[in-house]
Structures are given as structure tokens and as C-alpha cells.
Amino acid sequence: MATAKRDTYTPESLLTVAVRVFNERGYDGTSMEHLSRAAGISKSSIYHHVAGKEELLRRAVSRALDGLFGILDEPGAVRGRAIERVEYVTRRTVEVLMAELPYVTLLLRVRGNTKAERWALERRREFDQRVADLMKAAAADGDLRTDVDIRLATRLLFGMVNSLVEWYRPQTAQGGGGTDGEQLAETVVRLAFDGLRTSR
Amino acid sequence: MATAKRDTYTPESLLTVAVRVFNERGYDGTSMEHLSRAAGISKSSIYHHVAGKEELLRRAVSRALDGLFGILDEPGAVRGRAIERVEYVTRRTVEVLMAELPYVTLLLRVRGNTKAERWALERRREFDQRVADLMKAAAADGDLRTDVDIRLATRLLFGMVNSLVEWYRPQTAQGGGGTDGEQLAETVVRLAFDGLRTSR
């Protein structure tokens, strides 16, 4: 007698599948049917784990947001001169982005068409605001150049950091592809704060 | 007697509509039916102007690419020290991106699922390569710091520049929103080449 594929998912492993499908098809373009097919289990099995698509989105972006907000409580982000703290936060943001790549990718692509998406956007803006405040503090200390607008510079800094989700791919066990993560984080910080030119 | 809406489009004004729809729905997700509805004319009227969706994509991304490749032939890009040329190209890339915003947005979002899309990606890579070559020349002149990988730095530089399509909105006639274009281009160049920190 033929039996349906046994549901061996945990909420965690189901989330991994859901995030992959969301990133491939877009959250808006993903139906429970798509998730069911990708996971190889029935829709009712999925509902056994989660209330629906929105819950999966909330869990996925929470993982990205927890990683990002966690940075702001680390000693390097709360102690010392503002410029050192903002460099620390930049470096760690790159590291979290690489460690939680599919989750942060999803967070950055959220469009705001549903309540869960708007909540994610709101939290993301909150994080950006916290970093913008740090940048302002560094400017007030006289450690940032005065001929650029700080709000604009913060946007460009995030633009550079967030662009990683478009091209960064982790190094495989075979050693193929990918860029060394530590080098990448360091390059972002050096480029943004010291610039690419040799000192004149 | 009811008459169909008269087709008053030129190939140029039809392109404007198509690019807006491509950017909203994604090129893959746009059908001739969507274009027909957005333009308010029949599909056969559209076929009177263009052979199909692929031709509209080709024309739209050509406009972006012509703008970008045009920069490389300007005096500021061909004469002088490599570092000055690469700064010039960066500044002008930001300006072309702002001037041709919907067209460059489309170019940057192309995924490569069809022949026309793959052609666009190929041309885009060619432009990136030309700028990467300039960066290498500037490094060989000793004008770029040696503790960052040039290929990586070029990617991050483009990541920052290209992120503009996600948040830059032109100033309206009412003066609302938007950032002054010249200031924006200058901030990108200062951030990337001189860094945000005050000199130490």
C-alpha cells in the first residue's frame, strides 16, 4: 500500500525550506501550495507546524533581526568612542549578514504588502535609525568629515553592506568560490571609513 | 458607436509605460496582456510598434547601457591619471543612474532567464570589467591602498552606487523629497575614495 511521504520536519528545518522558496519566488509570489511541493509534504502537515505563510515570514525575519539587534548590545557597540562603535557595528553587520545570508536576504527584499511584511520593514528601519544615531554621535565628536550629509552617508554605507546579499556566496567545503568573510568585513570598514585612496 | 481607444503612442512613449510595468511586476512576471492593460491599447496595437516583450526589454536596457558606456568615451574617463579617471567614472555613473533611473533599475534587476536578459547581463558585466580595469590601473600607479583586494573593492563600490535605485527618488517640481543629485554623486566619490573619517 502506498503511503504519503512521512513528515520528518521540525519547525526549524521547515523554515529553511520556506526561506529558500520565498527568496526564489518572492514572498508575495509564494503560495502554501509552492511550500508544500518544495517541502514534499502536504499542506495540512505544514499547518501542523505553523499557522501559515505569515508565521513563517515572521520567524524568518526575526532570525535576521535578532542577529542584527544583538550586535547593538555587544560590548564593542556600547563602549568607547562613537566612531569606534560605528566601525564595530559595520563590521559585525557584515558578519551577521554572511552568517544568516538567506534570512537577511529575505528581510531586505520584503516589500510591505502584508501586516507581517510591514512589521519587518518597521523593525528594519529601527535598526537603521540606531546606526544613524551612532553616526551622528561620531560626527558630533568631530570624527566624521563635515562635507558630507550624515543621513546620506548612512544610506550609502548600508547600500554597500546590503549589496552583499546580491553577490556574496559562502565558501564551500571544496574551497570553491566565495570570499573570506573576515577579509570582506574588513574591506567594507576600510572602504567606508578610510576610503580607497592612499593617503595624500 | 463605441470606438476603441485611439493608439497615440510613439515607440518612445510606449517604452516608458513598458519599463514602469517591468519594474513593478518584474520582467518575467509581465505578459503582453499586462502591457496592453497598462497602456490602454490592444495587444495588436502594441505589435504595431514592437515585435514583442523582448524588443521592449532590449530597447530599455540599451538606453541604460548607452548611457553607461558613453561615460567611458568622455574626456574625463580617457585622459589623466587612472585614479582621477576612476573617480570621474564613478561620479558620472551616479549621474547617469539618476538621469535614467527606471532604465538602469530594470538593467540591474534583470535575471537572465531569456536571451535578451542574458545579453543585458553580458553587457553589464562588460561595463563592470572596464571599470575594474581602471581600478587596477590606479592600483598599479600606487594610488589605491594595497591592503584591500581590488576586485572586492570594485564590487563594493558598485554595490553602493547601484543601491541608489532602491531609495533615490528625483526631486519633484514641488521641491518635495529627493536629494540633490550633484551632492549625491560627490558624496559617493568622497565616501568611496577618501572615506568618512576625518583625516588622522
Side-chain angles (χ1 to χ4, degrees):
Chain A
M1 197 180 97
T3 52
K5 190 189 165 189
R6 185 136 163 261
D7 172 14
T8 56
Y9 281 99
T10 62
E12 183 62 17
S13 62
L14 183 62
L15 194 62
T16 307
V17 175
V19 169
R20 178 168 54 74
V21 182
F22 289 157
N23 281 333
E24 279 168 13
R25 311 188 67 98
Y27 175 72
D28 290 336
T30 303
S31 65
M32 286 300 279
E33 183 62 36
H34 293 132
L35 293 176
S36 155
R37 255 182 281 151
I41 58 173
S42 68
K43 278 193 268 184
S44 63
S45 295
I46 295 181
Y47 285 120
H48 172 73
H49 295 291
V50 290
K53 210 177 91 161
E54 292 235 329
E55 186 183 333
L56 286 164
L57 181 76
R58 254 177 203 277
R59 284 203 201 173
V61 298
S62 290
R63 181 159 158 175
L65 288 162
D66 289 350
L68 292 171
F69 277 96
I71 296 168
L72 302 176
D73 295 327
E74 292 170 5
V78 288
R79 283 188 220 133
R81 219 172 154 81
I83 182 73
E84 306 297 341
R85 287 153 60 200
V86 78
E87 287 197 2
Y88 177 86
V89 169
T90 303
R91 183 177 291 109
R92 290 285 295 127
T93 299
V94 173
E95 287 170 1
V96 166
L97 196 149
M98 291 185 292
E100 305 289 356
L101 193 62
Y103 301 91
V104 181
T105 302
L106 183 62
L107 176 66
L108 293 176
R109 289 188 184 162
V110 150
R111 287 283 172 213
N113 292 324
T114 60
K115 205 178 146 195
E117 286 175 278
R118 282 189 294 274
W119 166 82
L121 281 179
E122 188 50 48
R123 295 279 289 156
R124 187 184 147 194
R125 266 193 291 268
E126 211 179 303
F127 179 79
D128 291 0
Q129 191 52 54
R130 295 277 298 271
V131 183
D133 289 345
L134 259 185
M135 291 277 278
K136 272 178 221 146
D141 288 345
D143 289 331
L144 291 185
R145 51 196 301 157
T146 51
D147 60 347
V148 303
D149 176 74
I150 294 301
R151 201 163 137 265
L152 186 53
T154 308
R155 270 189 164 162
L156 289 168
L157 175 62
F158 277 112
M160 179 169 64
V161 169
N162 295 342
S163 77
L164 294 186
V165 304
E166 301 302 329
W167 57 265
Y168 173 74
R169 294 298 167 263
Q171 269 178 315
T172 60
Q174 290 77 38
T179 302
D180 176 63
E182 214 173 305
Q183 188 206 346
L184 184 47
E186 192 53 34
T187 302
V188 169
V189 172
R190 291 285 65 84
L191 194 163
F193 294 96
D194 297 337
L196 290 172
R197 259 184 191 266
T198 44
S199 300
R200 282 175 290 189
Chain B
M1 197 180 97
T3 52
K5 190 191 165 186
R6 187 139 162 258
D7 172 14
T8 55
Y9 281 100
T10 61
E12 182 63 16
S13 62
L14 183 62
L15 194 62
T16 307
V17 175
V19 169
R20 179 169 52 73
V21 182
F22 288 159
N23 282 333
E24 279 167 12
R25 312 188 65 97
Y27 175 73
D28 290 336
T30 303
S31 65
M32 286 300 279
E33 184 61 36
H34 293 133
L35 293 177
S36 156
R37 256 182 281 150
I41 57 173
S42 67
K43 278 193 267 186
S44 62
S45 296
I46 296 180
Y47 284 120
H48 172 72
H49 295 291
V50 291
K53 211 178 89 161
E54 292 236 329
E55 188 185 330
L56 286 163
L57 181 77
R58 253 178 205 276
R59 284 203 201 172
V61 298
S62 290
R63 182 158 155 175
L65 288 162
D66 289 351
L68 293 171
F69 277 97
I71 296 169
L72 302 175
D73 295 327
E74 292 170 5
V78 288
R79 284 187 220 133
R81 219 172 155 82
I83 182 74
E84 306 298 341
R85 287 154 60 201
V86 78
E87 287 196 3
Y88 177 85
V89 169
T90 303
R91 184 177 290 109
R92 290 284 298 125
T93 298
V94 173
E95 287 170 0
V96 165
L97 196 147
M98 291 186 292
E100 305 288 357
L101 193 62
Y103 301 91
V104 181
T105 301
L106 182 63
L107 175 66
L108 293 176
R109 289 190 185 161
V110 149
R111 287 285 171 210
N113 292 324
T114 61
K115 205 178 147 196
E117 287 174 277
R118 282 190 292 274
W119 167 81
L121 281 179
E122 187 51 47
R123 293 280 289 155
R124 188 185 147 194
R125 266 194 290 266
E126 210 178 304
F127 179 78
D128 291 359
Q129 190 53 53
R130 295 278 297 274
V131 183
D133 289 346
L134 259 185
M135 291 277 277
K136 271 180 221 145
D141 287 345
D143 289 331
L144 292 187
R145 51 196 301 156
T146 51
D147 59 349
V148 303
D149 177 74
I150 294 302
R151 201 163 137 264
L152 186 54
T154 308
R155 271 188 163 164
L156 290 169
L157 175 62
F158 277 111
M160 180 168 63
V161 169
N162 295 342
S163 76
L164 294 187
V165 304
E166 301 302 330
W167 56 267
Y168 174 74
R169 294 299 167 262
Q171 269 176 316
T172 60
Q174 290 76 37
T179 302
D180 176 63
E182 214 172 302
Q183 188 205 346
L184 184 49
E186 192 53 34
T187 303
V188 169
V189 171
R190 291 285 67 82
L191 194 164
F193 293 96
D194 296 337
L196 289 173
R197 260 184 191 266
T198 44
S199 301
R200 282 173 293 191

